[in-house]
Amino acid sequence: MLFFWPRNRSIAFVQQWIETMVHSGKNLHNIHIWDDQQAFNMLARMGPGNPGMMDPLIPVRGGEDRVFWCMNKEVRLGIMPLHLFQNGHTYFVQRAETDHALMVHNTFQYNGVE
């Protein structure tokens, strides 16, 4: 699940993400892209002047270990709290703090559906 602030940098990130997915199934920057998640991860960890290399995410100062720089330090990426934004396994199987969940992401399909 993703949420983007409608800013020029995040819009550029999404446009580049879409362009990367258009090339799915092909090698892009020496990385084979199969799906949207791989494309997102590649863009988020893209290092400056180092296409194809996956750099570690750099914490944003004051982000309390939940906000990171991504895409050559052009976009900030935040991790949403799991007790409010749960995946299906956490909600339905683990039943972890289900009373306060704002939303549950139910779908997961490994590498798409044939």
Side-chain angles (χ1 to χ4, degrees):
M1 172 181 13
L2 300 169
F3 173 81
F4 291 94
W5 286 104
R7 304 287 190 266
N8 290 337
R9 289 181 178 184
S10 59
I11 292 169
F13 178 86
V14 172
Q15 288 172 332
Q16 191 166 357
W17 186 22
I18 292 168
E19 182 63 27
T20 302
M21 287 186 289
V22 166
H23 296 291
S24 66
K26 302 174 186 172
N27 284 325
L28 190 62
H29 302 300
N30 299 319
I31 298 174
H32 197 79
I33 302 297
W34 284 107
D35 60 24
D36 61 330
Q37 186 67 55
Q38 287 178 324
F40 179 87
N41 291 339
M42 184 197 75
L43 291 174
R45 293 177 171 256
M46 187 178 0
N50 204 8
M53 300 304 293
M54 302 274 272
D55 288 350
L57 294 176
I58 300 167
V60 171
R61 181 176 238 170
E64 301 175 5
D65 297 328
R66 298 188 67 81
V67 182
F68 301 88
W69 286 110
C70 68
M71 197 177 161
N72 297 323
K73 282 190 158 184
E74 292 181 21
V75 177
R76 287 177 288 184
L77 171 72
I79 300 171
M80 295 180 179
L82 185 60
H83 71 282
L84 297 175
F85 302 92
Q86 297 185 9
N87 60 46
H89 188 273
T90 303
Y91 186 84
F92 294 108
V93 178
Q94 296 177 359
R95 300 199 184 276
E97 299 185 48
T98 57
D99 293 342
H100 297 34
L102 295 177
M103 93 73 66
V104 177
H105 181 268
N106 289 336
T107 58
F108 175 78
Q109 298 163 358
Y110 183 75
N111 237 7
V113 176
E114 297 290 326

